[in-house]
Amino acid sequence: MAVLPILITGDPVLHGSASSVTVFDDSLRELVADMVETMHAAPGVGLAAPQVGFPLRLFVFHWVDDSDTEFSGVAVNPELWVSPPPVGELDEDEESEGCLSVPGERYPLHRSELAILRAVDLDQNPFEIRAEGWLARIFQHEYDHLDGVLYVDRLEHVHAKTAAKVIRKAGWGTPGLSWTPGVDDLEG
């Protein structure tokens, strides 16, 4: 296993649609193991294949809720259904999220409270997870990556404007930029 470099916003693979996984082999298993190691090293609660340079429809996740229930796994070729997102004022404490491809930044974003994730695992076994709260948020965030959407692309105007300034000031937004957890002094 290896910790992989994480692409920073601006790289084309982050901003395009990923392709379905069609080959389930040892190379895919190795990629997923490397993604899990990278996610933990970052540290993060999810990581999509495009974030490490592979335009494939898969993501890994690991999250422990307030009751110490652990949710972890890999979602290959996922489909996601969500409830309507809330409207109204953002709660910056409860609705802020970050992204390993926009390292060190956090902005509030409305996400749907409920989500249903359907996917297959590495053995091509189908599964379904009904999620709410933060797990639903994680699924929406990672699923967006598979369609070339970063959470900063969904921010409301005032936060979008701030994020754009931060990205520009950091010199991001161009192809080829990355950081490696445990090597570079960045975190998301």
Side-chain angles (χ1 to χ4, degrees), residues 99-122:
C99 178
L100 297 174
S101 291
V102 187
E105 300 302 317
R106 293 186 66 78
Y107 300 99
L109 174 65
H110 285 310
R111 292 279 192 184
S112 299
E113 182 64 24
L114 303 170
I116 298 173
L117 173 70
R118 289 187 184 147
V120 297
D121 63 18
L122 289 174

Side-chain angles (χ1 to χ4, degrees), residues 3 26 35 103:
V3 173
D26 288 342
M35 288 174 60

Side-chain angles (χ1 to χ4, degrees), residues 1-164:
M1 292 191 308
V3 173
L4 304 172
I6 299 172
L7 298 178
I8 294 175
T9 185
D11 197 279
V13 75
L14 289 173
H15 302 285
S17 290
S19 300
S20 294
V21 174
T22 57
V23 178
F24 290 76
D25 60 6
D26 288 342
S27 294
L28 183 66
R29 290 181 186 285
E30 183 178 339
L31 172 60
V32 168
D34 290 347
M35 288 174 60
V36 169
E37 186 171 343
T38 302
M39 174 184 63
H40 288 299
V45 294
L47 185 67
Q51 292 181 274
V52 292
F54 293 85
L56 296 171
R57 295 193 73 78
L58 75 95
F59 65 82
V60 297
F61 59 94
H62 180 258
W63 181 68
V64 179
D65 70 10
D66 292 338
S67 64
D68 290 330
T69 302
E70 185 174 335
F71 300 90
S72 64
V74 57
V76 182
N77 297 331
E79 297 175 345
L80 190 68
W81 289 267
V82 297
S83 62
V87 294
E89 206 169 310
L90 284 162
D91 183 329
E92 294 200 25
D93 292 328
E94 297 295 321
E95 295 182 285
S96 286
E97 63 185 72
C99 178
L100 297 174
S101 291
V102 187
E105 300 302 317
R106 293 186 66 78
Y107 300 99
L109 174 65
H110 285 310
R111 292 279 192 184
S112 299
E113 182 64 24
L114 303 170
I116 298 173
L117 173 70
R118 289 187 184 147
V120 297
D121 63 18
L122 289 174
D123 295 318
Q124 299 184 63
N125 296 314
F127 67 89
E128 177 178 296
I129 300 174
R130 294 174 186 272
E132 59 183 82
W134 273 101
L135 186 59
R137 179 178 290 272
I138 292 166
F139 289 165
Q140 291 166 77
H141 181 109
E142 299 309 327
Y143 188 84
D144 271 354
H145 277 297
L146 307 183
D147 291 330
V149 177
L150 275 64
Y151 89 110
V152 292
D153 299 330
R154 294 191 178 277
L155 297 175
E156 291 183 2
H157 177 71
V158 66
H159 298 291
K161 191 173 173 182
T162 302

